[in-house]
Amino acid sequence: MKKISLLGSTGSIGTQTLDVIRAHQNEFQLVSLSFGRNMELGLQQVHEFKPEVVSVLTKDMADKLKVELPANIKVYYGEEGLIEAAAFEKSDMLINAVMGSVGLKPTLAAIEAGKDIGIANKETLVTAGHIVTEEANKYGVKLIPVDSEHSAIYQCLHGDVEKEVRRLILTASGGSFRDKSLAELEGVTVKEALNHPNWNMGAKITIDSATMMNKGLEVIEARWLFDMDYEQIDVILHKESIIHSMVEYIDGSVLAHLGTPDMRVPIQYAMSYPKRLDLHGGEKLNLWEVGTLHFEDPDLERFRCLKLAFEAGKVGGTAPTVLNAANEVAVDAFLNGKIPFLGIDHFVEKALSSHSIIKAPSLNDIVMVDIETRRKVQTYLN
Ligand code: NDP
Ligand code: MG
């Protein structure tokens, strides 16, 4: 029985992680969980899965929970709470499905406590990939991707020697606005942006998909997860989201991972690795029904965020930290109607161009730059 800790239990990945646990109760047991503000759903989950540790966003929420829950369930809150839930002594694996760079410190705490990590929380790898991968090596823990593209690559590689790999090819759906020109993006609404054609995800990543910052973050994520140079990572538009990504080898062979778009597949694989389990209620892929698969080169002038992410990745140091923090603030501002859709890449670029890069940042440097960038973008917004 694998004991699981889950951060972000009320989100899109979090609820699907619980679906997997519910479907395989002989394989997995939830021992700790954390959520943000969604008390109603969170409480329901606590009653169903009976974890020993629960963490919520605020002290007020924690106080309320303590009254409602039996005394043997420990309740924490805030960043400390995330760390308690992530590094809980009884757990074997952390599924980190929280949104944003707030997932960094809990991930490091879980690594130091020897837990394997199923990582959905890509912002953590973007903001501090060098530290997270170094720590994972040091403590001998596995970093198993949950992001569908990286899970696809992980499954294609299946323990292969990395020097036999020529490049990784990440597929991108193109998001809600893939068929719109730059001019047509002026004035698009939040509601339109949240309408993703292939995947049903949390709000932030859905906007990231529409700007293609999501693919940019994934390029940086792939660089760290698979120890590749940016020259070895390519992005291709593939609107059907059937091929989840590919690996090209030095002999020209290309291995691809295919499937219907269903996040439970990579979530479950991260949890059951190296085993595969039945996916209850999973749809079969019938390629003859899909008929045709399309591929296209992304236009980096149209998808400016993808270009900015490639550039920030190559510059390295604290550039990806700035890219990520500025993007988190800008996306939040767009979702709250404060800036237009095309303001997102504008503010990210502005934050990047005014930042002096720290080359080999420590954890402390990263935390400071993250805070500083958020503050700076807030002042641009005001
Ligand atoms: P959601 O917005 O649906 O869920 C985020 C979760 O994190 C919620 O449980 C939320 O709690 C919690 N949360 C948010 N902020 C905080 C905070 N400051 N402290 C504690 N908890 C917090 O996001 P997704 O599930 O879509 O995405 C999660 C991560 O997975 C992201 O990094 C995303 O990029 C990545 N990912 C998601 C995919 C998807 O299909 N959704 C695919 C690939 C990667 P609450 O709602 O209760 O406030
Ligand atoms: Mg993805």
Side-chain angles (χ1 to χ4, degrees):
M1 180 80 86
K2 197 178 271 182
K3 300 209 164 88
I4 305 286
S5 294
L6 172 61
L7 304 186
S9 65
T10 48
S12 159
I13 296 289
T15 51
Q16 294 180 85
T17 303
L18 294 177
D19 289 342
V20 169
I21 296 176
R22 193 182 289 115
H24 295 284
Q25 294 181 26
N26 297 328
E27 301 278 342
F28 309 117
Q29 184 194 350
L30 186 78
V31 291
S32 65
L33 73 70
S34 126
F35 55 92
R37 291 182 197 282
N38 191 343
M39 271 287 246
E40 196 185 337
L41 180 57
L43 198 58
Q44 208 176 302
Q45 293 173 338
V46 174
H47 285 307
E48 179 182 353
F49 290 91
K50 303 185 172 49
E52 291 179 53
V53 169
V54 176
S55 172
V56 289
L57 199 60
T58 64
K59 181 170 186 306
D60 277 0
M61 291 173 68
D63 290 342
K64 263 190 214 146
L65 268 186
K66 279 179 193 160
V67 176
E68 293 214 26
L69 295 176
N72 60 335
I73 299 183
K74 294 202 183 84
V75 181
Y76 300 94
Y77 65 93
E79 190 176 66
E80 279 308 307
L82 282 169
I83 291 172
E84 290 290 343
F88 180 43
E89 58 187 10
K90 290 193 187 163
S91 96
D92 303 311
M93 176 175 216
L94 166 67
I95 300 295
N96 184 350
V98 75
M99 191 280 285
S101 61
V102 66
L104 173 59
K105 283 189 184 168
T107 302
L108 293 173
I111 292 173
E112 280 162 27
K115 323 286 182 202
D116 288 333
I117 315 282
I119 186 112
N121 174 229
K122 63 189 86 185
E123 294 89 353
T124 276
L125 283 169
V126 171
T127 203
H130 65 298
I131 297 176
V132 175
T133 49
E134 220 175 80
E135 289 289 287
N137 284 336
K138 181 168 150 197
Y139 287 90
V141 307
K142 293 192 201 74
L143 270 183
I144 309 182
V146 168
D147 213 346
S148 58
E149 294 76 4
H150 306 74
S151 175
I153 290 168
Y154 197 79
Q155 294 181 55
C156 291
L157 287 172
H158 205 75
D160 277 355
V161 191
E162 265 115 37
K163 60 177 186 274
E164 293 177 355
V165 174
R166 189 191 279 159
R167 63 174 175 147
L168 307 178
I169 305 164
L170 298 178
T171 52
S173 70
S176 323
F177 300 139
R178 64 184 170 212
D179 300 321
K180 285 199 192 307
S181 68
L182 203 50
E184 286 170 326
L185 289 177
E186 301 272 356
V188 289
T189 64
V190 173
K191 196 172 164 217
E192 288 169 311
L194 285 176
N195 187 20
H196 194 286
N198 305 357
W199 299 95
N200 188 4
M201 311 180 285
K204 192 260 182 180
I205 184 176
T206 305
I207 303 306
D208 283 347
S209 299
T211 60
M212 268 188 72
M213 179 59 91
N214 182 50
K215 210 50 53 180
L217 301 179
E218 291 182 356
V219 166
I220 301 172
E221 185 185 6
R223 183 261 170 270
W224 292 113
L225 280 173
F226 306 112
D227 194 18
M228 292 279 149
D229 294 332
Y230 286 100
E231 287 67 30
Q232 292 176 283
I233 305 171
D234 280 331
V235 171
I236 189 169
L237 282 171
H238 165 48
K239 64 181 179 190
E240 290 86 6
S241 297
I242 295 292
I243 295 185
H244 299 311
S245 277
M246 301 176 252
V247 178
E248 182 182 294
Y249 289 86
I250 47 178
D251 62 357
S253 301
V254 176
L255 297 192
H257 173 270
L258 287 74
T260 54
D262 184 340
M263 280 309 294
R264 290 175 308 156
V265 176
I267 293 169
Q268 179 170 294
Y269 188 74
M271 289 165 67
S272 68
Y273 175 85
K275 268 202 301 196
R276 283 184 191 276
L277 299 173
D278 196 1
L279 186 77
H280 299 305
E283 252 182 71
K284 271 200 203 135
L285 171 63
N286 288 328
L287 277 178
W288 50 96
E289 277 172 17
V290 178
T292 315
L293 298 179
H294 294 83
F295 305 96
E296 219 181 301
D297 227 5
D299 172 357
L300 292 187
E301 289 314 315
R302 160 73 177 72
F303 294 111
R304 301 246 323 125
C305 284
L306 179 57
K307 186 176 170 186
L308 291 172
F310 258 114
E311 286 169 0
K314 285 179 188 167
V315 169
T318 42
T321 309
V322 173
L323 174 95
N324 179 68
N327 182 60
E328 284 190 35
V329 177
V331 170
D332 188 62
F334 169 68
L335 283 169
N336 288 304
K338 291 186 193 148
I339 61 169
F341 183 72
L342 291 175
I344 298 173
D345 65 67
H346 169 75
F347 286 114
V348 172
E349 185 163 24
K350 200 167 163 182
L352 278 168
S353 59
S354 67
H355 173 67
S356 321
I357 310 277
I358 304 171
K359 277 221 167 111
S362 64
L363 178 59
N364 203 32
D365 293 332
I366 283 168
V367 172
M368 291 315 294
V369 168
D370 182 278
I371 293 171
E372 216 174 84
T373 305
R374 284 167 198 269
R375 208 178 286 145
K376 192 159 66 180
V377 178
Q378 277 305 343
T379 55
Y380 299 158
L381 293 171
N382 297 335

